[in-house]
Amino acid sequence: MITLPDRMAYARKTKLELQDVLELILQDEIDRREQKNLTMRLKRASFTEEQTFEGFDWDAPVTFDRQRVRDLFSLGFLERHEDALFMGPAGVGKTFLASALGHAACRAGRHVLFLRADQLLKQLRQARADHSHEKTLRRFLAPDLLIIDDFGLRRLDSIQSSDMYEVIIERHRRTSTILTSNRTVEEWISLFDDPILAQSAMDRLAHNAHQVVIEGQSYRIRLRPGGESLKN
C-alpha cells in the first residue's frame, strides 16, 4: 500500500505541483477505502472459496453457452432483477461460475450472500424454533444477489418447501438469485412437498432466469494436483 511518505518522496523526486500531490493523495485514500469496502463485502458474502472470472479455465472440456455466461458477467441481469440457474452433473464448474459472478458483483459494489441450500433451509428452520424467522428471512431477502448452491440434493419436507417458496417468491423481480443444481428445472417440482407451491415458485423462477446447462468432464478433477494432464 502506498503511504503518505511514499507520495511525498515521489513528489519531491518528480517536482510535482502541490495540486497534483494533493490529487494523488486523495486518490490513494479513495482507493484504500474502496479496497476496504470490497474486502468487507467479500467477507459478508461468505464464499467458501475466492473464485473469479479471470480464474475460470475457459478451455475446460465442458459444454455450455459460453457467450451467455460472459454476458452475465456484465452484471446487467442484476440491474434487471433477473436470475440465473446453473445445472449439470457434479464437478463441471457450476459453483465456480456462480461464485465468480458473486465476486464480480461484490467488486461492482453489490451486496452478495452465498450459501448452500441445506444451510439456508436449516437456518430458517432453526429460526422458527427461536421465533426469529422473520429476521432470518429478511437476511436472505436483502442481498442484491443471493447464491444458493447445490439445490435439489434432497427432497424437501413441508416446512422446507414453504421456506424455499417464500424466498423465491419474495425475491422475484425485486433482486437477483442464482441457483446451482445437479437436477434440471423440470425435476425440481417433484422435490417440493406441495406441488402447488412448487409450480408457483418454479414458474416465476424459470421464466425470469438465464438457464445454463453444463455438461462434460469434471472441472473439479482438473483443479486437483496433476489434473492438468487431463487436458489431453
Side-chain angles (χ1 to χ4, degrees):
M1 179 182 295
I2 298 175
T3 64
L4 181 58
D6 292 334
R7 279 302 183 206
M8 297 308 296
Y10 176 77
R12 287 192 296 270
K13 182 178 179 180
T14 58
K15 299 180 180 179
L16 286 178
E17 296 290 336
L18 178 59
Q19 179 178 342
D20 295 328
V21 175
L22 292 176
E23 287 179 355
L24 279 175
I25 294 173
L26 178 60
Q27 187 59 53
D28 288 341
E29 177 61 16
I30 292 172
D31 293 343
R32 185 191 68 79
R33 292 187 182 188
E34 288 182 348
Q35 183 59 48
K36 180 180 179 181
N37 290 336
L38 173 58
T39 300
M40 291 178 60
R41 287 193 297 273
L42 290 172
K43 183 177 180 179
R44 287 169 57 193
S46 300
F47 295 115
T48 53
E49 296 181 64
E50 185 170 318
Q51 294 165 321
T52 65
F53 175 88
E54 296 81 7
F56 187 76
D57 183 0
W58 294 92
D59 295 322
V62 291
T63 302
F64 63 95
D65 189 338
R66 281 165 163 74
Q67 188 55 54
R68 178 187 286 271
V69 172
R70 287 191 173 95
D71 289 344
L72 286 173
F73 276 93
S74 71
L75 303 182
F77 79 102
L78 292 178
E79 299 289 342
R80 298 186 295 270
H81 299 160
E82 296 168 349
D83 306 316
L85 312 177
F86 289 91
M87 296 164 287
V92 293
K94 304 183 301 295
T95 299
F96 194 116
L97 288 170
S99 297
L101 275 168
H103 195 282
C106 284
R107 284 187 285 184
R110 300 304 191 104
H111 177 195
V112 179
L113 179 61
F114 174 99
L115 74 171
R116 297 195 315 268
D118 64 320
Q119 293 173 327
L120 180 148
L121 294 171
K122 181 179 180 181
Q123 290 180 33
L124 285 171
R125 183 186 291 274
Q126 291 174 338
R128 288 179 181 276
D130 62 19
H131 308 291
S132 63
H133 186 263
E134 287 299 321
K135 179 180 178 180
T136 303
L137 180 62
R138 286 197 299 272
R139 176 171 174 258
F140 299 137
L141 301 182
D144 300 311
L145 176 61
L146 175 66
I147 303 173
I148 304 175
D149 193 34
D150 277 342
F151 174 69
L153 292 181
R154 299 180 181 86
R155 196 171 187 278
L156 308 180
D157 61 27
S158 60
I159 292 176
Q160 292 170 330
S161 295
S162 177
D163 284 339
M164 196 69 195
Y165 169 82
E166 199 161 5
V167 170
I168 291 172
I169 293 299
E170 291 298 326
R171 291 185 60 83
H172 180 61
R173 294 199 180 281
R174 298 178 185 175
T175 48
S176 294
T177 305
I178 294 177
L179 272 77
T180 76
S181 179
N182 60 6
R183 300 176 187 266
T184 64
V185 173
E186 291 74 22
E187 295 176 281
W188 291 359
I189 292 179
S190 64
L191 297 172
F192 282 74
D193 178 73
D194 185 332
I196 296 177
L197 288 184
Q199 190 66 59
S200 177
M202 291 305 105
D203 279 351
R204 287 172 169 80
L205 185 62
H207 293 155
N208 191 50
H210 300 269
Q211 298 187 31
V212 179
V213 178
I214 309 177
E215 300 174 324
Q217 187 184 76
S218 173
Y219 183 88
R220 192 174 297 129
I221 291 177
R222 290 165 53 82
L223 296 179
R224 74 187 184 189
E228 189 68 17
S229 62
L230 295 173
K231 279 186 175 181
N232 300 322

